[in-house]
Amino acid sequence: MDLGISGKWALVCAASKGLGLGCAQALAAEGVNLVITARGAEALQAAASALRASHPGIDVRAVAGDITTAEGRAAALAACPQVDILVNNAGGPPTGDFRDWDRAAWIAALDANMLTPIELMKTVVDPMMARGFGRIVNITSAAVKAPIDILGLSNGARSGLTGFVAGLSRTTVARNVTINNLLPGPFETERLAKTLEGAAQASGLTTAQVMAQRALKNPAGRFGTPAEFGAACAFLCGAQAGYITGQNLLMDGGAYPGTF
């Protein structure tokens, strides 16, 4: 399927690795020009070089910086001639017990996983509507649908973003600007490996062994891949997805047991 977005410009946040990079790769394959951001300059430049090599027909611009700061957002936006597609993404806050989190921990989580996406949407949504095309995809978490106790910071911040999007998305769709959320469960990423390191140490197993055990417990019998996550993101960014807005697409291999 030709998604009809060749030549568009996308800003993809936290795109040096993992799910953000998977989204950037899928959009690049559709002929979308990219501005990719991340804090780690070395990994970001490596990702940009690989994208250019695989897709020589597109423009790829890498902007290293912290997207959760005003300066980081300004630099990323300045590098993008126009934002037709916005993929909001940021690393999740630390796990733990809510009794140990002070106000600063909560503010940091809200800044990264709720307020930064809202600030970026505020900047791009009106120009998108004026042009008659816009696609915004927020990478949130399956924990929005099925909260996990040790992920309280993420549960709270991402649920706040979800509620905000539910309202905003209904006001933009008539101008062909859609806003949707992708809710990843366990995917083969560096973050997942780091999350399971503690369980590995406690069990005396290697991280790879614990990951293999956890994968088999998923109904799919495996973890998701960044490539298939990126493909779903690209479809939501496509011309054919103009009637899909305000939705929360759960991608977890069937782990969530509910009907709704």
Side-chain angles (χ1 to χ4, degrees):
M1 180 186 294
D2 180 355
L3 298 184
I5 50 178
S6 179
K8 301 289 188 184
W9 276 93
L11 170 57
V12 185
C13 303
S16 64
K17 60 184 69 174
L19 301 183
L21 178 56
C23 293
Q25 290 168 332
L27 290 170
E30 295 297 325
V32 176
N33 300 307
L34 298 170
V35 173
I36 58 174
T37 72
R39 288 176 292 182
E42 184 175 349
L44 183 66
Q45 291 298 336
S49 295
L51 287 164
R52 295 184 190 108
S54 299
H55 308 283
I58 66 170
D59 191 345
V60 180
R61 304 179 184 182
V63 181
D66 186 349
I67 200 69
T68 69
T69 67
E71 295 79 12
R73 290 190 292 274
L77 290 165
C80 199
Q82 66 181 43
V83 182
D84 302 303
I85 295 166
L86 170 64
V87 180
N88 278 315
N89 184 31
T95 61
D97 188 316
F98 83 97
R99 298 169 184 83
D100 299 325
W101 298 325
D102 58 13
R103 177 177 174 79
W106 279 106
I107 294 301
L110 290 169
D111 269 340
N113 301 125
M114 178 182 173
L115 299 180
T116 288
I118 290 173
E119 286 294 329
L120 287 168
M121 284 187 274
K122 182 170 69 174
T123 301
V124 306
V125 72
D126 287 337
M128 284 178 171
M129 288 195 292
R131 292 191 299 268
F133 180 90
R135 299 289 184 264
I136 300 173
V137 176
N138 302 300
I139 301 176
T140 62
S141 171
V144 171
K145 184 83 170 176
I148 301 170
D149 58 354
I150 63 170
L151 297 180
L153 290 171
S154 178
N155 296 342
R158 297 188 196 277
S159 294
L161 176 63
T162 303
F164 175 81
V165 166
L168 178 62
S169 62
R170 272 75 183 179
T171 70
T172 64
V173 65
R175 303 295 294 274
N176 195 27
V177 177
T178 66
I179 312 173
N180 293 288
N181 305 313
L182 277 174
L183 284 57
F187 276 77
E188 295 173 356
T189 63
E190 188 177 293
R191 175 170 169 77
L192 177 63
K194 289 182 177 178
T195 300
L196 295 180
E197 282 178 2
Q201 292 172 358
S203 66
L205 301 173
T206 66
T207 300
Q209 288 171 325
V210 170
M211 289 186 68
Q213 290 178 353
R214 296 290 178 90
L216 289 175
K217 291 180 180 179
N218 189 286
R222 64 179 180 88
F223 295 136
T225 68
E228 60 192 336
F229 187 87
C233 177
F235 176 76
L236 289 177
C237 295
Q240 296 88 341
Y243 204 58
I244 304 171
T245 199
Q247 300 306 302
N248 297 286
L249 177 58
L250 182 64
M251 297 184 68
D252 68 350
Y256 176 69
T259 303
F260 303 106

